[in-house]
Amino acid sequence: MAMQEQTLSGWRLGKEIPVGLMFTVILQFIGFVWWAASVNERVTALERYASQSSAMVERVTRVETLVESVEKRLENIERKLDRIADKG
């Protein structure tokens, strides 16, 4: 009667856990840790790329501004040349 009360009263851990199950759980845990490490590495690489990209965006913006000013100057030069050609 005492044995029946003990098993009915709640969970208990015995030596009945198969070795295969323990091995499977350990392998899954190792796989999860490996996967988490690879995700961490990918996130770090993406953060590095994003920081480099922001610097590149700033440089491209500066170059675009310079190109626009050069275009305006060239248009002014072309207009002046056209006026000179029309007079001559």
Side-chain angles (χ1 to χ4, degrees), residues 22-40:
M22 289 183 358
F23 183 71
T24 303
V25 170
I26 290 171
L27 278 178
Q28 284 180 341
F29 179 74
I30 290 171
F32 174 76
V33 169
W34 191 344
W35 172 80
S38 70
V39 168
N40 184 39

Side-chain angles (χ1 to χ4, degrees), residues 51-67:
S51 67
Q52 291 172 353
S53 294
S54 65
M56 187 64 71
V57 167
E58 291 176 20
R59 291 180 67 193
V60 167
T61 303
R62 279 187 260 141
V63 169
E64 285 178 345
T65 305
L66 288 172
V67 167

Side-chain angles (χ1 to χ4, degrees), residues 30-88:
I30 290 171
F32 174 76
V33 169
W34 191 344
W35 172 80
S38 70
V39 168
N40 184 39
E41 183 179 328
R42 290 173 61 191
V43 167
T44 303
L46 287 172
E47 287 173 343
R48 214 177 307 122
Y49 176 76
S51 67
Q52 291 172 353
S53 294
S54 65
M56 187 64 71
V57 167
E58 291 176 20
R59 291 180 67 193
V60 167
T61 303
R62 279 187 260 141
V63 169
E64 285 178 345
T65 305
L66 288 172
V67 167
E68 286 174 0
S69 70
V70 167
E71 283 178 344
K72 287 179 184 178
R73 289 179 184 174
L74 282 174
E75 286 174 3
N76 287 336
I77 291 171
E78 285 177 353
R79 275 192 302 243
K80 288 178 182 179
L81 287 173
D82 287 341
R83 275 189 271 154
I84 292 172
D86 288 342
K87 287 182 181 179

